[in-house]
Short mmCIF file of all heavy atoms in Angstrom, two decimals:
data_model
loop_
_atom_site.label_atom_id
_atom_site.label_comp_id
_atom_site.label_asym_id
_atom_site.label_seq_id
_atom_site.Cartn_x
_atom_site.Cartn_y
_atom_site.Cartn_z
N ASN A 1 107.33 106.72 -131.20
CA ASN A 1 106.87 106.58 -132.63
C ASN A 1 106.22 107.88 -133.12
O ASN A 1 106.37 108.23 -134.28
CB ASN A 1 105.86 105.43 -132.74
CG ASN A 1 106.53 104.08 -132.60
OD1 ASN A 1 107.71 103.92 -132.82
ND2 ASN A 1 105.75 103.09 -132.15
N VAL A 2 105.52 108.61 -132.20
CA VAL A 2 104.79 109.79 -132.64
C VAL A 2 105.63 111.06 -132.51
O VAL A 2 105.55 111.94 -133.35
CB VAL A 2 103.49 109.93 -131.83
CG1 VAL A 2 102.76 111.21 -132.16
CG2 VAL A 2 102.58 108.73 -132.04
N PHE A 3 106.44 111.15 -131.46
CA PHE A 3 107.12 112.42 -131.15
C PHE A 3 108.64 112.46 -131.41
O PHE A 3 109.18 113.54 -131.52
CB PHE A 3 106.88 112.79 -129.68
CG PHE A 3 105.44 113.00 -129.33
CD1 PHE A 3 104.78 112.06 -128.55
CD2 PHE A 3 104.75 114.11 -129.77
CE1 PHE A 3 103.46 112.22 -128.20
CE2 PHE A 3 103.41 114.31 -129.42
CZ PHE A 3 102.78 113.34 -128.66
N CYS A 4 109.26 111.33 -131.42
CA CYS A 4 110.72 111.33 -131.37
C CYS A 4 111.41 110.99 -132.64
O CYS A 4 112.66 111.12 -132.73
CB CYS A 4 111.18 110.43 -130.24
SG CYS A 4 110.60 110.92 -128.60
N LYS A 5 110.74 110.54 -133.65
CA LYS A 5 111.45 110.26 -134.92
C LYS A 5 111.72 111.55 -135.65
O LYS A 5 110.88 112.42 -135.80
CB LYS A 5 110.53 109.37 -135.77
CG LYS A 5 110.38 107.94 -135.20
CD LYS A 5 109.57 107.03 -136.13
CE LYS A 5 109.47 105.62 -135.59
NZ LYS A 5 108.62 104.76 -136.42
N ASP A 6 112.95 111.69 -136.08
CA ASP A 6 113.44 112.90 -136.77
C ASP A 6 113.33 114.18 -135.89
O ASP A 6 113.21 115.29 -136.44
CB ASP A 6 112.63 113.10 -138.11
CG ASP A 6 112.75 111.94 -139.04
OD1 ASP A 6 113.83 111.38 -139.17
OD2 ASP A 6 111.72 111.61 -139.65
N ARG A 7 113.35 113.98 -134.65
CA ARG A 7 113.31 115.10 -133.69
C ARG A 7 114.68 115.69 -133.49
O ARG A 7 115.64 114.95 -133.29
CB ARG A 7 112.64 114.70 -132.40
CG ARG A 7 112.41 115.83 -131.42
CD ARG A 7 111.78 115.31 -130.12
NE ARG A 7 111.59 116.42 -129.22
CZ ARG A 7 110.45 117.15 -129.12
NH1 ARG A 7 109.50 116.90 -129.97
NH2 ARG A 7 110.39 118.14 -128.27
N GLU A 8 114.80 117.04 -133.52
CA GLU A 8 116.14 117.68 -133.40
C GLU A 8 116.51 117.95 -131.93
O GLU A 8 117.68 118.03 -131.60
CB GLU A 8 116.14 118.94 -134.21
CG GLU A 8 115.97 118.76 -135.67
CD GLU A 8 116.03 120.05 -136.47
OE1 GLU A 8 116.16 121.10 -135.80
OE2 GLU A 8 115.94 120.00 -137.70
N THR A 9 115.50 118.09 -131.07
CA THR A 9 115.77 118.35 -129.64
C THR A 9 115.18 117.22 -128.78
O THR A 9 114.18 116.62 -129.17
CB THR A 9 115.15 119.69 -129.22
OG1 THR A 9 113.76 119.66 -129.44
CG2 THR A 9 115.79 120.84 -129.98
N PRO A 10 115.77 116.96 -127.62
CA PRO A 10 115.23 115.89 -126.75
C PRO A 10 113.84 116.22 -126.27
O PRO A 10 113.47 117.37 -126.06
CB PRO A 10 116.22 115.87 -125.59
CG PRO A 10 117.45 116.56 -126.09
CD PRO A 10 116.98 117.58 -127.08
N LEU A 11 113.01 115.20 -126.08
CA LEU A 11 111.70 115.34 -125.49
C LEU A 11 111.78 114.81 -124.05
O LEU A 11 112.05 113.66 -123.83
CB LEU A 11 110.64 114.54 -126.28
CG LEU A 11 109.25 114.50 -125.69
CD1 LEU A 11 108.63 115.92 -125.69
CD2 LEU A 11 108.35 113.53 -126.43
N MET A 12 111.53 115.72 -123.11
CA MET A 12 111.51 115.30 -121.71
C MET A 12 110.23 114.58 -121.40
O MET A 12 109.15 114.99 -121.79
CB MET A 12 111.72 116.52 -120.80
CG MET A 12 113.04 117.19 -120.94
SD MET A 12 113.25 118.61 -119.82
CE MET A 12 112.12 119.79 -120.59
N ILE A 13 110.34 113.50 -120.64
CA ILE A 13 109.17 112.69 -120.25
C ILE A 13 109.22 112.44 -118.78
O ILE A 13 110.24 112.17 -118.19
CB ILE A 13 109.21 111.33 -121.03
CG1 ILE A 13 109.23 111.53 -122.53
CG2 ILE A 13 107.97 110.46 -120.63
CD1 ILE A 13 109.43 110.26 -123.31
N GLY A 14 108.05 112.52 -118.16
CA GLY A 14 107.98 112.25 -116.71
C GLY A 14 106.59 111.74 -116.31
O GLY A 14 105.67 111.67 -117.14
N SER A 15 106.45 111.41 -115.05
CA SER A 15 105.20 110.94 -114.49
C SER A 15 105.14 111.35 -113.05
O SER A 15 106.05 111.07 -112.28
CB SER A 15 105.02 109.44 -114.62
OG SER A 15 103.92 108.95 -113.87
N VAL A 16 104.05 112.03 -112.66
CA VAL A 16 103.89 112.48 -111.30
C VAL A 16 103.83 111.31 -110.30
O VAL A 16 104.05 111.49 -109.12
CB VAL A 16 102.64 113.37 -111.18
CG1 VAL A 16 101.38 112.54 -111.28
CG2 VAL A 16 102.64 114.18 -109.90
N LYS A 17 103.58 110.14 -110.80
CA LYS A 17 103.50 108.95 -109.91
C LYS A 17 104.81 108.65 -109.22
O LYS A 17 104.86 107.97 -108.19
CB LYS A 17 103.00 107.76 -110.71
CG LYS A 17 101.59 107.95 -111.27
CD LYS A 17 101.16 106.80 -112.18
CE LYS A 17 99.81 107.10 -112.79
NZ LYS A 17 99.84 108.26 -113.72
N SER A 18 105.92 109.15 -109.80
CA SER A 18 107.22 108.93 -109.12
C SER A 18 107.32 109.79 -107.85
O SER A 18 108.13 109.49 -106.99
CB SER A 18 108.35 109.31 -110.07
OG SER A 18 108.29 110.71 -110.40
N ASN A 19 106.46 110.79 -107.71
CA ASN A 19 106.45 111.65 -106.51
C ASN A 19 105.31 111.30 -105.53
O ASN A 19 105.55 111.33 -104.30
CB ASN A 19 106.32 113.11 -106.94
CG ASN A 19 107.37 113.57 -107.82
OD1 ASN A 19 107.22 113.61 -109.04
ND2 ASN A 19 108.56 113.92 -107.29
N ILE A 20 104.12 111.05 -106.06
CA ILE A 20 102.95 110.87 -105.16
C ILE A 20 102.33 109.50 -105.26
O ILE A 20 101.37 109.22 -104.54
CB ILE A 20 101.92 111.96 -105.44
CG1 ILE A 20 101.35 111.85 -106.84
CG2 ILE A 20 102.50 113.35 -105.19
CD1 ILE A 20 100.17 112.75 -107.13
N GLY A 21 102.82 108.62 -106.13
CA GLY A 21 102.17 107.36 -106.33
C GLY A 21 101.02 107.46 -107.34
O GLY A 21 100.84 108.48 -107.97
N HIS A 22 100.28 106.37 -107.45
CA HIS A 22 99.22 106.28 -108.47
C HIS A 22 97.86 106.44 -107.82
O HIS A 22 97.45 105.57 -107.03
CB HIS A 22 99.35 104.92 -109.16
CG HIS A 22 98.44 104.76 -110.33
ND1 HIS A 22 97.73 105.78 -110.89
CD2 HIS A 22 98.12 103.63 -111.09
CE1 HIS A 22 97.03 105.33 -111.90
NE2 HIS A 22 97.26 104.02 -112.04
N ALA A 23 97.15 107.50 -108.14
CA ALA A 23 95.83 107.75 -107.58
C ALA A 23 94.75 107.11 -108.39
O ALA A 23 93.54 107.46 -108.25
CB ALA A 23 95.58 109.25 -107.42
N GLU A 24 95.11 106.19 -109.29
CA GLU A 24 94.17 105.41 -110.09
C GLU A 24 93.08 106.27 -110.78
O GLU A 24 93.45 107.04 -111.68
CB GLU A 24 93.61 104.28 -109.23
CG GLU A 24 94.74 103.29 -108.86
CD GLU A 24 94.55 102.57 -107.55
OE1 GLU A 24 93.54 102.79 -106.86
OE2 GLU A 24 95.41 101.77 -107.16
N PRO A 25 91.79 106.20 -110.41
CA PRO A 25 90.79 107.01 -111.19
C PRO A 25 91.02 108.50 -111.14
O PRO A 25 90.58 109.21 -112.05
CB PRO A 25 89.43 106.65 -110.54
CG PRO A 25 89.83 106.18 -109.16
CD PRO A 25 91.13 105.48 -109.30
N ALA A 26 91.72 109.01 -110.14
CA ALA A 26 91.97 110.46 -109.99
C ALA A 26 93.36 110.84 -110.48
O ALA A 26 93.74 112.01 -110.32
CB ALA A 26 91.76 110.92 -108.57
N SER A 27 94.12 109.95 -111.02
CA SER A 27 95.53 110.23 -111.33
C SER A 27 95.71 111.31 -112.36
O SER A 27 96.71 112.02 -112.34
CB SER A 27 96.20 108.92 -111.75
OG SER A 27 95.60 108.37 -112.94
N GLY A 28 94.77 111.41 -113.32
CA GLY A 28 94.90 112.41 -114.41
C GLY A 28 94.99 113.83 -113.88
O GLY A 28 95.70 114.67 -114.43
N PHE A 29 94.28 114.11 -112.80
CA PHE A 29 94.26 115.50 -112.27
C PHE A 29 95.55 115.80 -111.53
O PHE A 29 95.98 116.95 -111.44
CB PHE A 29 93.04 115.73 -111.41
CG PHE A 29 91.77 115.87 -112.19
CD1 PHE A 29 91.77 115.80 -113.56
CD2 PHE A 29 90.58 116.10 -111.56
CE1 PHE A 29 90.58 115.90 -114.29
CE2 PHE A 29 89.39 116.20 -112.26
CZ PHE A 29 89.42 116.12 -113.67
N GLY A 30 96.21 114.75 -110.99
CA GLY A 30 97.52 114.96 -110.42
C GLY A 30 98.52 115.35 -111.45
O GLY A 30 99.42 116.15 -111.22
N GLN A 31 98.40 114.78 -112.66
CA GLN A 31 99.24 115.12 -113.77
C GLN A 31 99.05 116.59 -114.19
O GLN A 31 100.00 117.33 -114.41
CB GLN A 31 98.98 114.22 -114.96
CG GLN A 31 99.31 112.76 -114.68
CD GLN A 31 98.86 111.84 -115.78
OE1 GLN A 31 97.71 111.70 -115.98
NE2 GLN A 31 99.82 111.26 -116.51
N ILE A 32 97.79 117.04 -114.25
CA ILE A 32 97.50 118.42 -114.63
C ILE A 32 98.09 119.37 -113.58
O ILE A 32 98.71 120.39 -113.89
CB ILE A 32 95.99 118.64 -114.77
CG1 ILE A 32 95.44 117.84 -115.99
CG2 ILE A 32 95.67 120.12 -114.90
CD1 ILE A 32 93.96 117.92 -116.12
N ALA A 33 97.86 119.04 -112.31
CA ALA A 33 98.39 119.88 -111.22
C ALA A 33 99.92 120.03 -111.30
O ALA A 33 100.46 121.06 -111.03
CB ALA A 33 97.95 119.35 -109.88
N LYS A 34 100.59 118.86 -111.58
CA LYS A 34 102.03 118.91 -111.68
C LYS A 34 102.50 119.81 -112.80
O LYS A 34 103.38 120.67 -112.62
CB LYS A 34 102.58 117.48 -111.88
CG LYS A 34 104.07 117.47 -112.17
CD LYS A 34 104.51 116.08 -112.66
CE LYS A 34 105.94 116.12 -113.17
NZ LYS A 34 106.37 114.83 -113.67
N VAL A 35 101.95 119.62 -113.98
CA VAL A 35 102.43 120.34 -115.19
C VAL A 35 102.11 121.82 -115.13
O VAL A 35 102.94 122.67 -115.43
CB VAL A 35 101.92 119.68 -116.48
CG1 VAL A 35 102.34 120.44 -117.68
CG2 VAL A 35 102.42 118.23 -116.53
N LYS A 36 100.92 122.11 -114.74
CA LYS A 36 100.46 123.52 -114.82
C LYS A 36 100.44 124.24 -113.49
O LYS A 36 100.37 125.44 -113.43
CB LYS A 36 99.04 123.55 -115.42
CG LYS A 36 98.98 123.13 -116.87
CD LYS A 36 99.82 124.08 -117.75
CE LYS A 36 99.71 123.64 -119.18
NZ LYS A 36 100.50 124.49 -120.07
N GLN A 37 100.46 123.48 -112.43
CA GLN A 37 100.39 124.07 -111.07
C GLN A 37 99.20 125.00 -110.98
O GLN A 37 99.30 126.19 -110.60
CB GLN A 37 101.69 124.79 -110.72
CG GLN A 37 102.90 123.94 -110.70
CD GLN A 37 104.17 124.66 -110.32
OE1 GLN A 37 104.18 125.82 -110.11
NE2 GLN A 37 105.25 123.92 -110.29
#
């Protein structure tokens, strides 16, 4: 609803949980580490 309406190029979407699982309260920092290394 926010990013993909009238969008000209595809938006890639992922989740680090597919690689390392869900670290629950600490999961957000796994996402930062994945995206920015």
Side-chain angles (χ1 to χ4, degrees):
N1 290 334
V2 177
F3 299 107
C4 298
K5 291 182 177 179
D6 302 319
R7 186 180 178 89
E8 296 181 358
T9 58
L11 175 65
M12 294 182 289
I13 302 172
S15 170
V16 73
K17 297 174 185 65
S18 63
N19 301 98
I20 64 173
H22 188 10
E24 293 152 1
S27 60
F29 285 0
Q31 295 172 293
I32 293 175
K34 171 191 170 181
V35 175
K36 293 298 183 182
Q37 297 181 0

